[in-house]
Amino acid sequence: MLVIKNGRVMDPKSGWDQVCDVLVDEGKIIQIAPQIDKDEAQVIDATGLVVAPGLVDIHVHFREPGQTHKEDIHTGALAAAAGGFTTVVMMANTNPTISDVETLEEVLQSAAKEKINIKSVATITKNFNGQDLTDFKALLDAGAVGFSDDGIPLESSKVVKEAMEEAKKLNTFISLHEEDPGLNGTLGFNENIAKEHFHICGATGVAEYAMIARDVMIANATKAHVHIQHLSKEESVKVVEFAQNLGANVTAEVAPQHFSKTEALLLTKGSNAKMNPPLRLESDRRAVIEGLKSGVISVIATDHAPHHADEKNVEDITKAPSGMTGLETSLSLGLTYLVETGELSLMQLLEKMSYNPAKLYNFEAGYLSENGPADITIFDDKADRIVDSHFASKAANSPFIGESLKGQVKYTICNGQIVYKN
Ligand SMILES: [Zn+2]
């Protein structure tokens, strides 16, 4: 039994925002009330702190099986807890890819050993071949929560349509990484800085928004739900908004790095600022923030992509893998670049980091209420922290190391258990 005393309890589902106490027992929230005193209970003094639903991240790469020198499910879970996350969804670009029931079961067995809730998608096409759909029904029955070929965009519109139809039939949805290889140059470098500084043809905007335009219109035609992953361009936000206004069932996420920084970060942080899609222009950064404000983008997801330092520290930056470790800076980036700047209220930030992503997948998560799950994040929203290179993640490939950010996670509680304490 646990009592969280005197915190600012914020629930984005109901809009509740009051200083009060929370009683937790046997994995559930038993009571939320102005004053709760239980002699036998452990007490957390949350005076001056925010008590929020455990954060939910629907886009993480935990690299198990196959690339556990970068991260494994255990260290990924520790990184999630340190970042205030109690539920995450793994992407399927492991080695082997999560394309069959056997691999999925192996991953979910490993995930079940961890103290936070770890879910997984399966691939849309077999081993990312872009051609043959996996057995959606069997994979759903075995515990997949959705489907994505994240990392390898689907070039065939025929396959996209078939995948949407199959997903719709099974009452699920597909998530898409949108960068058309046929329209793209070197990944990870936005086209402007790629040309001006690196003298290469970089990752173009049109590769992203043209593919989104195709897929949201297929979604409109099939009436299937499609989720657009980590959009980064101004035009992408407009295209998603257009499709939503048509009545298409389209949702979208943005990664914290895309609302926080621009392509210039590559000049100071090198390969740690290299990611797919790349950091873009200030006008794009402004546009994704406007998308969050208007609701066109309903979810913030990290795209947590750990890599080993040796892989990132190569002489030729174009050869370094794309992606950054993200779970342990996500909340701080939201507080610093969205809440402190007055773009979103703290409640709106929490909605996009807990309630909305949970709702997308119908998870029993992302809200605080009596009889609800005891998945809770307690943090100091006013604290200043300088990001250092000591992460719970195996990887430290963050372009935010050395930066002063707002917010410090104090406790993460999952299923009523304290899984992280600072
Ligand atoms: Zn991706």
Side-chain angles (χ1 to χ4, degrees):
M1 194 174 274
L2 178 68
V3 186
I4 302 160
K5 298 280 293 177
N6 206 33
R8 178 182 174 192
V9 177
M10 298 184 74
D11 174 39
K13 183 180 180 185
S14 64
W16 175 282
D17 182 0
Q18 279 182 38
V19 173
C20 58
D21 296 353
V22 179
L23 176 65
V24 166
D25 197 26
E26 294 184 347
K28 291 267 178 205
I29 293 175
I30 305 298
Q31 193 185 6
I32 300 174
Q35 176 136 8
I36 302 170
D37 292 298
K38 292 275 176 193
D39 289 343
E40 69 274 33
Q42 183 184 355
V43 174
I44 291 177
D45 179 6
T47 305
L49 304 178
V50 174
V51 178
L55 304 178
V56 177
D57 187 358
I58 61 168
H59 194 145
V60 302
H61 298 274
F62 280 178
R63 310 299 192 200
E64 179 182 331
Q67 295 186 298
T68 52
H69 63 289
K70 297 175 192 266
E71 190 83 292
D72 57 37
I73 288 173
H74 180 61
T75 55
L78 295 177
F85 292 90
T86 54
T87 300
V88 298
V89 177
M90 281 179 57
M91 291 297 115
N93 63 337
T94 49
N95 185 16
T97 60
I98 306 172
S99 296
D100 54 54
V101 168
E102 195 186 349
T103 310
L104 176 66
E105 282 177 344
E106 189 186 311
V107 164
L108 293 179
Q109 275 165 22
S110 181
K113 294 179 194 146
E114 301 304 324
K115 291 177 180 160
I116 65 154
N117 307 308
I118 302 174
K119 323 274 188 181
S120 184
V121 300
T123 65
I124 294 171
T125 64
K126 287 177 185 165
N127 301 317
F128 281 3
N129 73 7
Q131 294 301 322
D132 310 300
L133 295 190
T134 54
D135 187 341
F136 281 21
K137 172 83 169 58
L139 288 159
L140 286 173
D141 289 347
V145 297
F147 298 89
S148 177
D149 276 10
D150 179 48
I152 307 291
L154 286 167
E155 294 185 65
S156 163
S157 47
K158 176 170 174 280
V159 169
V160 168
K161 177 167 171 280
E162 286 169 358
M164 285 191 200
E165 285 168 345
E166 183 69 1
K168 183 174 177 352
K169 197 169 82 187
L170 296 167
N171 203 22
T172 185
F173 64 96
I174 60 171
S175 300
L176 298 171
H177 177 138
E178 304 285 47
E179 284 186 286
D180 186 340
L183 297 172
N184 227 347
T186 303
L187 297 178
F189 303 82
N190 186 47
E191 55 191 321
N192 301 66
I193 203 164
K195 187 169 170 220
E196 289 155 21
H197 185 83
F198 296 97
H199 312 295
I200 53 175
C201 174
T204 62
V206 67
E208 177 179 309
Y209 55 75
M211 202 173 219
I212 294 176
R214 178 196 72 173
D215 292 343
V216 295
M217 295 316 291
I218 301 174
N220 188 54
T222 57
K223 304 293 172 216
H225 174 193
V226 64
H227 178 73
I228 306 299
Q229 297 177 296
H230 47 48
L231 54 72
S232 67
K233 284 297 294 175
E234 181 177 7
E235 292 87 343
S236 303
V237 181
K238 288 192 174 139
V239 165
V240 168
E241 184 175 21
F242 173 80
Q244 288 173 342
N245 287 339
L246 273 185
N249 191 357
V250 177
T251 51
E253 70 185 35
V254 65
Q257 43 275 28
H258 290 119
F259 64 66
S260 302
K261 295 291 177 185
T262 66
E263 60 177 11
L265 199 65
L266 274 164
L267 300 180
T268 52
K269 300 292 181 174
S271 61
N272 282 343
K274 184 186 175 193
M275 58 198 69
N276 303 341
L279 297 171
R280 304 285 194 182
L281 305 174
E282 177 62 12
S283 51
D284 297 311
R285 191 185 77 84
R286 288 294 328 159
V288 297
I289 291 173
E290 290 305 318
L292 282 165
K293 290 167 79 165
S294 68
V296 169
I297 303 170
S298 56
V299 170
I300 294 170
T302 64
D303 193 10
H304 176 78
H307 291 291
H308 194 276
D310 293 346
E311 297 165 312
K312 277 289 195 180
N313 296 336
V314 289
E315 208 166 306
D316 179 0
I317 187 176
T318 64
K319 300 279 193 304
S322 289
M324 55 164 272
T325 184
L327 282 163
E328 292 167 78
T329 49
S330 180
L331 176 61
S332 285
L333 291 172
L335 290 168
T336 306
Y337 289 98
L338 298 175
V339 178
E340 274 287 302
T341 52
E343 305 289 358
L344 294 187
S345 68
L346 179 53
M347 191 68 95
Q348 288 170 320
L349 177 69
L350 294 175
E351 184 182 36
K352 291 179 193 292
M353 294 187 71
S354 61
Y355 182 60
N356 285 353
K359 199 170 56 171
L360 191 67
Y361 277 102
N362 285 319
F363 294 154
E364 252 313 293
Y367 66 98
L368 296 177
S369 81
E370 293 177 358
N371 291 318
D375 294 351
I376 302 167
T377 299
I378 303 173
F379 62 93
D380 183 345
D381 62 320
K382 300 286 189 292
D384 292 304
R385 69 182 274 220
I386 294 179
V387 180
D388 66 35
S389 57
H390 299 284
F391 291 103
S393 167
K394 269 187 194 177
N397 56 318
S398 169
F400 296 100
I401 291 169
E403 187 170 336
S404 179
L405 299 176
K406 280 283 162 196
Q408 186 74 61
V409 177
K410 296 291 184 185
Y411 291 89
T412 306
I413 296 163
C414 190
N415 300 311
Q417 267 194 299
I418 296 172
V419 297
Y420 173 80
K421 184 180 173 193
N422 180 325

